[in-house]
Coordinates of all heavy atoms in Angstrom, one line a residue:
M1 N -34.8 -2.2 -7.0 CA -33.6 -3.0 -7.4 C -33.7 -3.3 -8.9 O -34.7 -3.8 -9.3 CB -33.6 -4.2 -6.5 CG -32.5 -5.2 -6.9 SD -32.5 -6.7 -5.9 CE -31.6 -6.1 -4.5
A2 N -32.6 -3.0 -9.6 CA -32.6 -3.3 -11.0 C -32.4 -4.8 -11.3 O -31.6 -5.4 -10.6 CB -31.5 -2.5 -11.7
S3 N -33.0 -5.3 -12.3 CA -32.8 -6.7 -12.7 C -31.6 -6.8 -13.6 O -31.1 -5.8 -14.1 CB -34.0 -7.2 -13.4 OG -34.1 -6.7 -14.7
A4 N -31.1 -8.0 -13.8 CA -29.9 -8.2 -14.6 C -30.1 -7.9 -16.0 O -29.2 -7.6 -16.8 CB -29.5 -9.7 -14.4
L5 N -31.4 -7.8 -16.5 CA -31.7 -7.5 -17.9 C -32.2 -6.1 -18.1 O -32.6 -5.7 -19.2 CB -32.8 -8.5 -18.4 CG -32.4 -10.0 -18.3 CD1 -33.5 -10.8 -18.7 CD2 -31.1 -10.3 -19.1
S6 N -32.1 -5.2 -17.1 CA -32.5 -3.9 -17.2 C -31.6 -3.1 -18.1 O -30.4 -3.4 -18.2 CB -32.7 -3.2 -15.9 OG -31.4 -3.1 -15.2
P7 N -32.0 -2.0 -18.7 CA -31.1 -1.2 -19.6 C -29.9 -0.7 -18.8 O -30.1 -0.3 -17.6 CB -32.0 -0.1 -20.1 CG -33.4 -0.6 -19.9 CD -33.4 -1.5 -18.7
G8 N -28.8 -0.6 -19.4 CA -27.6 -0.1 -18.8 C -26.8 -1.2 -18.1 O -25.7 -0.9 -17.7
R9 N -27.3 -2.4 -17.9 CA -26.6 -3.5 -17.3 C -26.2 -4.4 -18.4 O -27.0 -4.8 -19.3 CB -27.4 -4.2 -16.3 CG -27.8 -3.2 -15.1 CD -28.1 -4.0 -13.9 NE -26.8 -4.2 -13.2 CZ -26.7 -4.9 -12.1 NH1 -27.7 -5.4 -11.6 NH2 -25.5 -5.0 -11.6
V10 N -25.0 -4.9 -18.3 CA -24.5 -5.9 -19.3 C -24.9 -7.3 -18.8 O -24.6 -7.7 -17.7 CB -23.0 -5.8 -19.4 CG1 -22.4 -6.8 -20.4 CG2 -22.6 -4.4 -19.9
S11 N -25.5 -8.1 -19.7 CA -25.8 -9.5 -19.3 C -24.6 -10.3 -19.6 O -24.0 -10.4 -20.7 CB -26.9 -9.9 -20.2 OG -27.2 -11.3 -19.9
M12 N -24.1 -11.0 -18.5 CA -22.9 -11.8 -18.6 C -23.3 -13.3 -18.9 O -24.4 -13.7 -18.5 CB -22.1 -11.8 -17.3 CG -21.6 -10.5 -16.9 SD -20.3 -10.0 -18.1 CE -20.0 -8.4 -17.5
S13 N -22.5 -14.0 -19.7 CA -22.8 -15.4 -20.0 C -22.8 -16.2 -18.7 O -22.1 -15.9 -17.8 CB -21.8 -15.9 -21.0 OG -20.5 -16.0 -20.4
S14 N -23.5 -17.3 -18.7 CA -23.5 -18.1 -17.5 C -22.2 -18.8 -17.3 O -21.8 -19.0 -16.2 CB -24.6 -19.2 -17.7 OG -24.3 -20.1 -18.7
T15 N -21.4 -19.0 -18.4 CA -20.1 -19.5 -18.2 C -19.2 -18.6 -17.5 O -18.4 -19.0 -16.6 CB -19.4 -19.9 -19.6 OG1 -20.3 -20.7 -20.3 CG2 -18.1 -20.5 -19.4
K16 N -19.3 -17.3 -17.8 CA -18.5 -16.3 -17.1 C -18.9 -16.1 -15.6 O -18.1 -16.0 -14.8 CB -18.7 -14.9 -17.8 CG -17.6 -13.9 -17.5 CD -17.7 -12.8 -18.5 CE -16.4 -12.0 -18.4 NZ -16.4 -10.9 -19.3
Q17 N -20.2 -16.2 -15.4 CA -20.7 -16.2 -14.0 C -20.3 -17.4 -13.2 O -19.9 -17.2 -12.1 CB -22.3 -16.1 -14.0 CG -22.8 -14.8 -14.5 CD -24.3 -14.8 -14.6 OE1 -25.0 -15.8 -14.6 NE2 -24.9 -13.6 -14.7
E18 N -20.3 -18.5 -13.8 CA -19.8 -19.7 -13.1 C -18.3 -19.7 -12.8 O -17.9 -20.1 -11.7 CB -20.1 -21.0 -14.0 CG -21.6 -21.3 -14.0 CD -21.9 -22.4 -15.1 OE1 -21.0 -23.1 -15.5 OE2 -23.1 -22.6 -15.3
A19 N -17.5 -19.1 -13.7 CA -16.1 -19.0 -13.5 C -15.9 -18.0 -12.3 O -15.0 -18.2 -11.5 CB -15.4 -18.5 -14.7
W20 N -16.6 -16.9 -12.4 CA -16.5 -15.9 -11.3 C -16.9 -16.5 -10.0 O -16.2 -16.3 -9.0 CB -17.5 -14.7 -11.6 CG -17.5 -13.7 -10.5 CD1 -16.7 -12.7 -10.2 CD2 -18.5 -13.6 -9.5 NE1 -17.1 -12.0 -9.1 CE2 -18.2 -12.5 -8.6 CE3 -19.7 -14.3 -9.2 CZ2 -19.0 -12.2 -7.5 CZ3 -20.5 -14.0 -8.1 CH2 -20.1 -12.9 -7.3
W21 N -18.0 -17.2 -9.9 CA -18.5 -17.8 -8.7 C -17.5 -18.8 -8.2 O -17.2 -19.0 -7.0 CB -19.9 -18.4 -8.8 CG -20.4 -19.0 -7.6 CD1 -20.7 -20.3 -7.4 CD2 -20.5 -18.4 -6.3 NE1 -21.1 -20.5 -6.0 CE2 -21.0 -19.3 -5.4 CE3 -20.3 -17.1 -5.8 CZ2 -21.2 -19.0 -4.0 CZ3 -20.6 -16.8 -4.5 CH2 -21.0 -17.7 -3.6
A22 N -16.9 -19.6 -9.1 CA -15.9 -20.6 -8.6 C -14.7 -19.9 -8.0 O -14.2 -20.4 -6.9 CB -15.4 -21.4 -9.8
S23 N -14.2 -18.8 -8.6 CA -13.1 -18.1 -8.0 C -13.5 -17.4 -6.7 O -12.8 -17.5 -5.7 CB -12.7 -17.0 -9.0 OG -12.2 -17.5 -10.1
T24 N -14.7 -16.9 -6.6 CA -15.2 -16.2 -5.4 C -15.4 -17.3 -4.3 O -15.0 -17.0 -3.1 CB -16.5 -15.5 -5.6 OG1 -16.3 -14.5 -6.6 CG2 -17.1 -14.9 -4.4
R25 N -15.9 -18.4 -4.6 CA -16.1 -19.5 -3.6 C -14.8 -20.0 -3.1 O -14.6 -20.2 -1.9 CB -16.9 -20.7 -4.3 CG -17.2 -21.7 -3.3 CD -18.1 -22.8 -3.9 NE -17.7 -23.3 -5.2 CZ -18.4 -23.2 -6.3 NH1 -19.6 -22.7 -6.2 NH2 -18.0 -23.6 -7.5
G26 N -13.8 -20.1 -3.9 CA -12.4 -20.5 -3.5 C -11.8 -19.5 -2.5 O -11.3 -19.9 -1.5
L27 N -12.0 -18.2 -2.8 CA -11.5 -17.2 -2.0 C -12.2 -17.2 -0.6 O -11.6 -17.1 0.4 CB -11.7 -15.8 -2.6 CG -11.4 -14.6 -1.8 CD1 -9.9 -14.6 -1.4 CD2 -11.7 -13.3 -2.6
M28 N -13.6 -17.4 -0.7 CA -14.4 -17.4 0.5 C -14.0 -18.6 1.4 O -13.9 -18.4 2.6 CB -15.9 -17.5 0.1 CG -16.8 -17.1 1.2 SD -18.5 -16.9 0.6 CE -18.7 -18.0 -0.8
I29 N -13.8 -19.7 0.8 CA -13.4 -20.9 1.6 C -12.0 -20.7 2.3 O -11.8 -21.0 3.4 CB -13.4 -22.2 0.7 CG1 -14.9 -22.5 0.4 CG2 -12.7 -23.3 1.4 CD1 -15.0 -23.6 -0.7
T30 N -11.1 -20.1 1.5 CA -9.8 -19.8 2.1 C -9.9 -18.9 3.2 O -9.2 -19.1 4.3 CB -8.8 -19.2 1.0 OG1 -8.8 -20.2 -0.1 CG2 -7.5 -18.9 1.5
A31 N -10.6 -17.8 3.1 CA -10.8 -16.8 4.1 C -11.5 -17.4 5.4 O -11.1 -17.2 6.5 CB -11.6 -15.6 3.6
L32 N -12.4 -18.3 5.2 CA -13.1 -19.0 6.3 C -12.2 -19.9 7.0 O -12.2 -20.0 8.3 CB -14.4 -19.7 5.8 CG -15.5 -18.8 5.5 CD1 -16.7 -19.6 4.9 CD2 -16.0 -18.1 6.8
I33 N -11.3 -20.6 6.3 CA -10.3 -21.5 6.9 C -9.3 -20.6 7.8 O -9.1 -21.0 9.0 CB -9.6 -22.3 5.9 CG1 -10.5 -23.3 5.3 CG2 -8.3 -23.0 6.5 CD1 -10.0 -24.1 4.1
V34 N -8.8 -19.5 7.3 CA -7.9 -18.7 8.0 C -8.7 -18.1 9.3 O -8.1 -18.1 10.4 CB -7.4 -17.5 7.2 CG1 -6.6 -16.5 8.0 CG2 -6.5 -18.1 6.1
W35 N -9.9 -17.7 9.1 CA -10.7 -17.2 10.2 C -10.9 -18.2 11.3 O -10.7 -18.0 12.4 CB -12.1 -16.7 9.7 CG -13.1 -16.4 10.8 CD1 -13.1 -15.3 11.5 CD2 -14.0 -17.3 11.3 NE1 -14.1 -15.4 12.5 CE2 -14.7 -16.6 12.4 CE3 -14.4 -18.6 11.0 CZ2 -15.7 -17.2 13.1 CZ3 -15.4 -19.2 11.8 CH2 -16.1 -18.5 12.8
F36 N -11.2 -19.5 10.9 CA -11.4 -20.6 11.8 C -10.1 -20.8 12.6 O -10.2 -21.0 13.8 CB -11.9 -21.8 11.1 CG -12.1 -23.0 12.1 CD1 -13.3 -23.1 12.8 CD2 -11.1 -23.9 12.3 CE1 -13.5 -24.1 13.7 CE2 -11.3 -25.0 13.2 CZ -12.5 -25.1 13.9
I37 N -9.0 -20.9 11.9 CA -7.7 -21.2 12.6 C -7.4 -20.1 13.6 O -7.1 -20.5 14.8 CB -6.6 -21.3 11.5 CG1 -6.7 -22.5 10.7 CG2 -5.2 -21.2 12.2 CD1 -5.8 -22.6 9.5
F38 N -7.6 -18.9 13.3 CA -7.3 -17.8 14.3 C -8.4 -17.5 15.3 O -8.2 -16.9 16.3 CB -6.9 -16.5 13.5 CG -5.5 -16.6 13.0 CD1 -5.2 -17.1 11.7 CD2 -4.4 -16.4 13.8 CE1 -3.9 -17.2 11.2 CE2 -3.1 -16.5 13.3 CZ -2.9 -16.9 12.1
S39 N -9.6 -18.0 15.0 CA -10.7 -17.9 16.0 C -10.7 -19.0 17.0 O -10.9 -18.8 18.2 CB -12.1 -17.9 15.3 OG -12.2 -16.7 14.5
F40 N -10.5 -20.2 16.5 CA -10.6 -21.4 17.4 C -9.3 -22.2 17.5 O -9.0 -22.6 18.6 CB -11.8 -22.3 16.9 CG -13.1 -21.6 16.8 CD1 -13.6 -21.2 15.6 CD2 -13.8 -21.4 18.0 CE1 -14.9 -20.6 15.6 CE2 -15.0 -20.8 18.0 CZ -15.6 -20.4 16.8
G41 N -8.7 -22.4 16.4 CA -7.5 -23.3 16.4 C -6.4 -22.8 17.3 O -5.9 -23.6 18.1
I42 N -6.0 -21.5 17.2 CA -5.0 -21.0 18.0 C -5.3 -21.1 19.5 O -4.5 -21.4 20.3 CB -4.7 -19.5 17.6 CG1 -4.1 -19.4 16.2 CG2 -3.8 -18.8 18.6 CD1 -2.7 -20.0 16.1
H43 N -6.6 -20.8 19.8 CA -7.0 -20.7 21.2 C -7.1 -22.1 21.8 O -7.0 -22.3 23.0 CB -8.3 -19.9 21.3 CG -8.1 -18.5 20.9 ND1 -8.1 -18.1 19.6 CD2 -8.0 -17.4 21.7 CE1 -7.9 -16.8 19.6 NE2 -7.8 -16.3 20.8
M44 N -7.4 -23.1 21.0 CA -7.4 -24.5 21.5 C -6.0 -25.0 22.0 O -5.9 -25.8 22.8 CB -7.9 -25.5 20.4 CG -9.3 -25.4 20.1 SD -9.7 -26.6 18.8 CE -11.3 -25.9 18.2
F45 N -5.0 -24.4 21.4 CA -3.6 -24.8 21.8 C -2.9 -23.7 22.6 O -1.7 -23.6 22.6 CB -2.8 -25.1 20.5 CG -3.4 -26.2 19.7 CD1 -4.1 -25.9 18.6 CD2 -3.3 -27.5 20.1 CE1 -4.7 -26.9 17.8 CE2 -3.9 -28.5 19.4 CZ -4.6 -28.2 18.2
A46 N -3.7 -22.8 23.3 CA -3.1 -21.7 24.0 C -2.1 -22.2 25.1 O -1.0 -21.6 25.2 CB -4.2 -20.9 24.7
K47 N -2.4 -23.2 25.8 CA -1.5 -23.7 26.9 C -0.2 -24.1 26.3 O 0.9 -23.8 26.8 CB -2.1 -24.8 27.7 CG -3.2 -24.3 28.6 CD -3.7 -25.4 29.5 CE -4.8 -24.9 30.4 NZ -5.3 -25.9 31.3
T48 N -0.2 -24.8 25.2 CA 1.0 -25.3 24.5 C 1.8 -24.1 23.9 O 3.0 -24.0 24.0 CB 0.6 -26.2 23.3 OG1 -0.2 -27.3 23.8 CG2 1.9 -26.8 22.7
L49 N 1.0 -23.1 23.4 CA 1.7 -21.9 22.8 C 2.3 -21.0 23.8 O 3.1 -20.2 23.5 CB 0.7 -21.1 21.9 CG 0.2 -21.8 20.6 CD1 -0.9 -21.0 20.0 CD2 1.4 -22.0 19.7
N50 N 1.8 -21.1 25.1 CA 2.3 -20.3 26.1 C 3.8 -20.5 26.5 O 4.4 -19.8 27.1 CB 1.5 -20.4 27.4 CG 0.2 -19.6 27.3 OD1 0.1 -18.6 26.5 ND2 -0.8 -19.9 28.1
T51 N 4.3 -21.6 26.0 CA 5.8 -21.9 26.2 C 6.6 -21.0 25.3 O 7.8 -20.9 25.5 CB 6.1 -23.4 25.9 OG1 5.7 -23.7 24.5 CG2 5.3 -24.3 26.8
I52 N 6.0 -20.4 24.3 CA 6.8 -19.5 23.4 C 6.4 -18.1 23.8 O 5.3 -17.7 24.0 CB 6.3 -19.7 21.9 CG1 6.5 -21.2 21.5 CG2 7.0 -18.7 21.0 CD1 5.8 -21.5 20.2
V53 N 7.5 -17.2 23.9 CA 7.3 -15.9 24.4 C 7.5 -14.9 23.2 O 8.5 -15.0 22.5 CB 8.3 -15.6 25.5 CG1 8.2 -14.1 26.0 CG2 8.0 -16.5 26.7
V54 N 6.5 -14.0 23.0 CA 6.6 -12.9 22.0 C 6.4 -11.6 22.7 O 5.4 -11.4 23.4 CB 5.5 -13.1 20.9 CG1 5.5 -12.0 19.9 CG2 5.7 -14.5 20.2
F55 N 7.3 -10.7 22.5 CA 7.3 -9.3 23.1 C 7.1 -9.4 24.6 O 6.4 -8.6 25.2 CB 6.2 -8.5 22.4 CG 6.4 -8.3 21.0 CD1 5.4 -8.7 20.1 CD2 7.5 -7.7 20.5 CE1 5.5 -8.5 18.7 CE2 7.6 -7.5 19.1 CZ 6.7 -7.9 18.2
G56 N 7.6 -10.4 25.2 CA 7.5 -10.5 26.7 C 6.3 -11.2 27.2 O 6.1 -11.3 28.4
F57 N 5.4 -11.6 26.3 CA 4.1 -12.2 26.6 C 4.1 -13.6 26.1 O 4.6 -13.9 25.0 CB 2.9 -11.5 26.1 CG 2.8 -10.1 26.6 CD1 3.2 -9.0 25.9 CD2 2.2 -9.9 27.9 CE1 3.0 -7.7 26.4 CE2 2.1 -8.6 28.4 CZ 2.5 -7.5 27.6
P58 N 3.4 -14.6 26.8 CA 3.3 -15.9 26.3 C 2.5 -15.9 25.0 O 1.5 -15.1 24.9 CB 2.5 -16.7 27.3 CG 2.6 -15.9 28.6 CD 2.9 -14.4 28.1
L59 N 2.9 -16.6 24.0 CA 2.2 -16.6 22.6 C 0.7 -16.9 22.7 O 0.0 -16.2 22.0 CB 2.9 -17.5 21.7 CG 2.4 -17.5 20.2 CD1 2.6 -16.1 19.6 CD2 3.1 -18.6 19.4
G60 N 0.3 -17.8 23.5 CA -1.1 -18.1 23.6 C -1.9 -16.9 24.1 O -3.0 -16.5 23.6
F61 N -1.4 -16.2 25.1 CA -2.0 -15.0 25.6 C -2.0 -13.9 24.6 O -3.0 -13.2 24.3 CB -1.3 -14.5 26.9 CG -1.7 -13.1 27.4 CD1 -2.9 -13.0 28.1 CD2 -1.0 -12.0 27.1 CE1 -3.3 -11.8 28.5 CE2 -1.4 -10.8 27.5 CZ -2.6 -10.6 28.2
Y62 N -0.8 -13.7 23.9 CA -0.7 -12.7 22.9 C -1.7 -12.9 21.7 O -2.3 -11.9 21.3 CB 0.7 -12.6 22.4 CG 1.0 -11.6 21.3 CD1 1.1 -10.3 21.6 CD2 1.0 -11.9 19.9 CE1 1.3 -9.3 20.7 CE2 1.1 -11.0 19.0 CZ 1.3 -9.7 19.3 OH 1.4 -8.7 18.4
M63 N -1.8 -14.1 21.3 CA -2.7 -14.4 20.2 C -4.2 -14.2 20.6 O -5.0 -13.7 19.8 CB -2.5 -15.9 19.7 CG -1.2 -16.1 18.9 SD -1.0 -14.9 17.5 CE -2.3 -15.4 16.4
A64 N -4.5 -14.5 21.8 CA -5.9 -14.3 22.3 C -6.2 -12.8 22.4 O -7.3 -12.3 22.1 CB -6.1 -15.0 23.6
A65 N -5.2 -12.0 22.9 CA -5.4 -10.6 23.2 C -5.2 -9.7 22.0 O -6.0 -8.7 21.8 CB -4.5 -10.1 24.3
Q66 N -4.2 -9.9 21.2 CA -3.9 -9.0 20.1 C -3.7 -9.7 18.7 O -4.2 -9.2 17.7 CB -2.5 -8.3 20.4 CG -2.6 -7.4 21.6 CD -3.5 -6.2 21.4 OE1 -3.7 -5.7 20.3 NE2 -4.2 -5.9 22.5
G67 N -3.0 -10.8 18.7 CA -2.7 -11.5 17.4 C -3.9 -11.8 16.5 O -3.8 -11.5 15.3
S68 N -4.9 -12.4 17.1 CA -6.1 -12.7 16.3 C -6.7 -11.5 15.7 O -7.1 -11.5 14.6 CB -7.1 -13.5 17.2 OG -6.5 -14.7 17.5
L69 N -6.8 -10.4 16.5 CA -7.4 -9.2 16.0 C -6.6 -8.6 14.8 O -7.2 -8.1 13.8 CB -7.5 -8.2 17.1 CG -8.4 -8.5 18.3 CD1 -8.3 -7.5 19.4 CD2 -9.8 -8.7 17.8
I70 N -5.3 -8.6 14.9 CA -4.5 -8.2 13.8 C -4.7 -9.0 12.6 O -4.8 -8.5 11.5 CB -3.0 -8.2 14.3 CG1 -2.8 -7.1 15.4 CG2 -2.1 -7.9 13.1 CD1 -1.4 -7.2 16.1
V71 N -4.7 -10.3 12.8 CA -5.0 -11.2 11.6 C -6.3 -10.9 11.0 O -6.5 -10.9 9.8 CB -4.8 -12.7 12.0 CG1 -5.3 -13.6 10.9 CG2 -3.4 -13.0 12.4
F72 N -7.4 -10.7 11.8 CA -8.7 -10.5 11.3 C -8.7 -9.2 10.4 O -9.3 -9.2 9.3 CB -9.7 -10.4 12.4 CG -10.0 -11.6 13.1 CD1 -10.4 -11.6 14.4 CD2 -9.7 -12.9 12.5 CE1 -10.6 -12.8 15.1 CE2 -9.9 -14.1 13.2 CZ -10.4 -14.0 14.5
V73 N -8.1 -8.1 10.9 CA -8.1 -6.9 10.1 C -7.3 -7.1 8.8 O -7.7 -6.7 7.7 CB -7.5 -5.7 11.0 CG1 -7.2 -4.5 10.1 CG2 -8.4 -5.4 12.1
A74 N -6.1 -7.8 8.9 CA -5.4 -8.1 7.7 C -6.2 -8.9 6.7 O -6.2 -8.7 5.5 CB -4.1 -8.7 8.0
L75 N -6.9 -9.9 7.3 CA -7.8 -10.8 6.5 C -8.8 -10.0 5.7 O -9.1 -10.2 4.5 CB -8.4 -11.8 7.3 CG -9.3 -12.8 6.7 CD1 -8.6 -13.7 5.7 CD2 -10.0 -13.7 7.7
L76 N -9.4 -9.0 6.4 CA -10.4 -8.2 5.7 C -9.9 -7.4 4.5 O -10.5 -7.3 3.4 CB -11.1 -7.2 6.7 CG -12.0 -7.8 7.7 CD1 -12.4 -6.7 8.8 CD2 -13.2 -8.3 7.1
F77 N -8.7 -6.8 4.7 CA -8.1 -6.0 3.6 C -7.7 -6.9 2.5 O -7.9 -6.6 1.3 CB -6.9 -5.2 4.1 CG -7.3 -3.9 4.8 CD1 -7.3 -3.9 6.2 CD2 -7.7 -2.8 4.1 CE1 -7.7 -2.7 6.9 CE2 -8.1 -1.7 4.7 CZ -8.1 -1.6 6.1
W78 N -7.1 -8.1 2.8 CA -6.7 -9.1 1.8 C -7.9 -9.6 1.0 O -7.8 -9.6 -0.2 CB -5.9 -10.2 2.5 CG -5.7 -11.4 1.5 CD1 -4.8 -11.4 0.6 CD2 -6.5 -12.6 1.4 NE1 -4.9 -12.6 -0.1 CE2 -5.9 -13.3 0.4 CE3 -7.5 -13.1 2.1 CZ2 -6.4 -14.6 0.0 CZ3 -8.0 -14.3 1.8 CH2 -7.5 -15.0 0.8
F79 N -9.0 -9.9 1.7 CA -10.2 -10.4 1.1 C -10.7 -9.4 0.1 O -11.1 -9.7 -1.0 CB -11.2 -10.8 2.1 CG -12.4 -11.5 1.5 CD1 -12.5 -12.8 1.3 CD2 -13.5 -10.7 1.1 CE1 -13.6 -13.4 0.8 CE2 -14.6 -11.3 0.5 CZ -14.7 -12.7 0.4
A80 N -10.8 -8.1 0.5 CA -11.4 -7.1 -0.3 C -10.5 -6.9 -1.6 O -11.1 -6.8 -2.7 CB -11.5 -5.8 0.5
G81 N -9.2 -6.9 -1.4 CA -8.3 -6.7 -2.6 C -8.4 -7.9 -3.5 O -8.5 -7.8 -4.8
A82 N -8.5 -9.1 -3.0 CA -8.5 -10.3 -3.8 C -9.9 -10.4 -4.5 O -9.9 -10.8 -5.7 CB -8.3 -11.6 -2.9
Q83 N -11.0 -10.1 -3.8 CA -12.3 -10.1 -4.5 C -12.4 -9.0 -5.6 O -12.9 -9.3 -6.6 CB -13.4 -9.9 -3.4 CG -14.8 -10.0 -4.1 CD -15.1 -11.4 -4.6 OE1 -14.9 -12.4 -3.9 NE2 -15.5 -11.5 -5.8
D84 N -11.8 -7.9 -5.4 CA -11.8 -6.9 -6.4 C -11.0 -7.4 -7.6 O -11.4 -7.1 -8.8 CB -11.1 -5.6 -5.9 CG -11.2 -4.4 -6.9 OD1 -12.3 -4.1 -7.3 OD2 -10.1 -3.9 -7.2
K85 N -9.9 -8.0 -7.4 CA -9.1 -8.6 -8.5 C -9.9 -9.7 -9.3 O -9.9 -9.7 -10.5 CB -7.8 -9.2 -8.0 CG -6.9 -9.8 -9.0 CD -5.7 -10.4 -8.4 CE -4.9 -11.1 -9.5 NZ -3.8 -11.9 -9.0
I86 N -10.6 -10.5 -8.5 CA -11.5 -11.5 -9.2 C -12.6 -10.8 -10.0 O -12.8 -11.2 -11.1 CB -12.1 -12.5 -8.1 CG1 -11.0 -13.4 -7.6 CG2 -13.2 -13.3 -8.7 CD1 -11.5 -14.2 -6.4
D87 N -13.2 -9.8 -9.4 CA -14.3 -9.1 -10.1 C -13.7 -8.5 -11.4 O -14.4 -8.5 -12.5 CB -14.9 -8.0 -9.2 CG -15.7 -8.6 -8.1 OD1 -16.0 -9.8 -8.1 OD2 -16.0 -7.8 -7.2
R88 N -12.6 -7.9 -11.4 CA -12.0 -7.3 -12.6 C -11.6 -8.3 -13.6 O -11.8 -8.1 -14.8 CB -10.8 -6.4 -12.2 CG -11.1 -5.2 -11.4 CD -9.9 -4.3 -11.1 NE -10.2 -3.3 -10.2 CZ -10.8 -2.2 -10.4 NH1 -11.3 -2.0 -11.7 NH2 -11.1 -1.3 -9.5
E89 N -11.1 -9.4 -13.2 CA -10.7 -10.5 -14.1 C -11.9 -11.0 -14.9 O -11.8 -11.4 -16.0 CB -10.0 -11.6 -13.4 CG -8.6 -11.3 -13.0 CD -7.9 -12.4 -12.1 OE1 -8.6 -13.4 -11.8 OE2 -6.8 -12.2 -11.8
H90 N -13.1 -11.1 -14.2 CA -14.2 -11.7 -14.8 C -15.2 -10.6 -15.4 O -16.3 -11.0 -15.8 CB -14.9 -12.6 -13.8 CG -14.1 -13.8 -13.5 ND1 -13.9 -14.9 -14.3 CD2 -13.3 -14.0 -12.4 CE1 -13.1 -15.7 -13.7 NE2 -12.7 -15.2 -12.5
G91 N -14.9 -9.4 -15.3 CA -15.7 -8.3 -15.9 C -16.9 -7.9 -15.0 O -17.9 -7.4 -15.5
F92 N -16.8 -8.1 -13.7 CA -17.9 -7.7 -12.7 C -17.4 -6.6 -11.8 O -18.1 -6.4 -10.8 CB -18.2 -8.9 -11.9 CG -19.0 -10.0 -12.6 CD1 -18.3 -11.1 -13.1 CD2 -20.3 -9.9 -12.8 CE1 -19.0 -12.1 -13.7 CE2 -21.0 -10.9 -13.5 CZ -20.3 -12.0 -14.0
A93 N -16.4 -5.9 -12.2 CA -15.9 -4.8 -11.3 C -16.8 -3.7 -11.2 O -17.5 -3.3 -12.2 CB -14.5 -4.3 -11.8
E94 N -16.9 -3.1 -10.0 CA -17.7 -1.9 -9.8 C -16.8 -0.7 -10.1 O -15.7 -0.5 -9.5 CB -18.2 -1.8 -8.4 CG -19.2 -2.9 -8.0 CD -19.7 -2.7 -6.6 OE1 -19.5 -1.6 -6.0 OE2 -20.2 -3.7 -6.1
E95 N -17.2 0.1 -11.0 CA -16.4 1.3 -11.4 C -17.0 2.5 -10.6 O -18.2 2.6 -10.5 CB -16.4 1.6 -12.9 CG -15.9 0.4 -13.7 CD -14.5 0.1 -13.4 OE1 -13.7 1.0 -13.1 OE2 -14.1 -1.1 -13.5
G96 N -16.1 3.4 -10.2 CA -16.7 4.5 -9.5 C -15.8 5.0 -8.5 O -15.7 5.7 -7.7

């Protein structure tokens, strides 16, 4: 494993690293909140949501069976794109 000071690696200022980490931490917290809502929050209210019908299925059942999975996949793609944008903005992008 190469160290941060090895030849060929650019040493970033601690201010730049702190700004990158602050942006990354904000993204991570946002993603975890969305994950929590669709992992636990939606399912806690399944009985209430079952009064709403989507595609012929009660919403609580739909969210448990399909909706949460769709949100998780979308969340992964969104997170990867947003993290790549943060990396590029702060000069930490992986080229290749």
Side-chain angles (χ1 to χ4, degrees):
M1 177 182 275
S3 74
L5 300 176
S6 65
R9 296 204 88 179
V10 177
S11 177
M12 298 290 174
S13 69
S14 66
T15 306
K16 198 169 195 174
Q17 289 175 345
E18 289 171 12
W20 173 82
W21 180 241
S23 298
T24 298
R25 185 175 43 241
L27 175 64
M28 199 170 26
I29 290 169
T30 302
L32 285 172
I33 289 169
V34 171
W35 170 82
F36 180 82
I37 289 168
F38 283 93
S39 290
F40 299 105
I42 294 290
H43 296 78
M44 286 181 199
F45 301 104
K47 286 186 180 183
T48 306
L49 291 172
N50 281 338
T51 60
I52 302 169
V53 177
V54 176
F55 301 120
F57 296 101
L59 183 60
F61 172 79
Y62 180 78
M63 289 305 295
Q66 298 294 326
S68 294
L69 297 173
I70 293 168
V71 171
F72 294 152
V73 171
L75 180 64
L76 288 171
F77 281 102
W78 170 77
F79 185 89
Q83 184 63 52
D84 187 56
K85 181 180 176 189
I86 289 171
D87 291 348
R88 290 182 191 284
E89 287 173 355
H90 295 283
F92 289 97
E94 294 182 16
E95 303 299 327

